[in-house]
Amino acid sequence: MAADLKEDPTFYDRADSHIHLANEHCANIGRGKVSASMMYGCARFQAWNAACWAESVEEMKAKREETINYFVDQYRAMLEDNVDDYINNFENYVGGA
């Protein structure tokens, strides 16, 4: 995964905070809707993050594909790691089938 925990020891604390908030929302609405809102919020935040990196709208336009590819690649790697973790620990995390 891209996160270097030696340089960022609070990485998982922040991630857990987002997960905790999502779980709170699941008490009132379905997981699918919470997931969609969480993905939208993440995408919106990353678009803002990319805009902050750019010195101009022209630069943001020029780096559009690079920016999208970076975030999609990062998300895919993190999703793969977590899906594999759930596959390997399904009984402990979800329960037996």
Side-chain angles (χ1 to χ4, degrees), residues 3 9 11 13 15-17 19 23 25 40 49 58 67 77 79-80 85 94 97:
F11 175 86
D13 293 336
D16 288 345
S17 178
I19 293 166
N23 287 336
H25 285 286
Y40 178 83
N49 193 14
E58 290 79 17
T67 298
L79 181 60
E80 287 173 350
D85 184 40
V94 180

Side-chain angles (χ1 to χ4, degrees), residues 77-93:
M78 292 177 188
L79 181 60
E80 287 173 350
D81 286 348
N82 281 284
V83 169
D84 289 345
D85 184 40
Y86 267 81
I87 289 169
N88 293 326
N89 295 287
F90 189 85
E91 301 268 336
N92 295 329
Y93 293 168

Side-chain angles (χ1 to χ4, degrees), residues 33-76:
K33 289 184 177 187
V34 173
S35 177
S37 296
M38 193 170 188
M39 283 193 292
Y40 178 83
C42 184
R44 186 71 182 174
F45 184 83
Q46 298 307 2
W48 170 78
N49 193 14
C52 290
W53 292 343
E55 304 226 358
S56 67
V57 69
E58 290 79 17
E59 181 182 1
M60 191 172 181
K61 285 179 185 178
K63 292 187 176 182
R64 182 181 185 276
E65 286 304 309
E66 178 184 347
T67 298
I68 291 169
N69 289 337
Y70 171 79
F71 287 115
V72 169
D73 290 347
Q74 291 296 305
Y75 180 79
R76 181 178 194 83

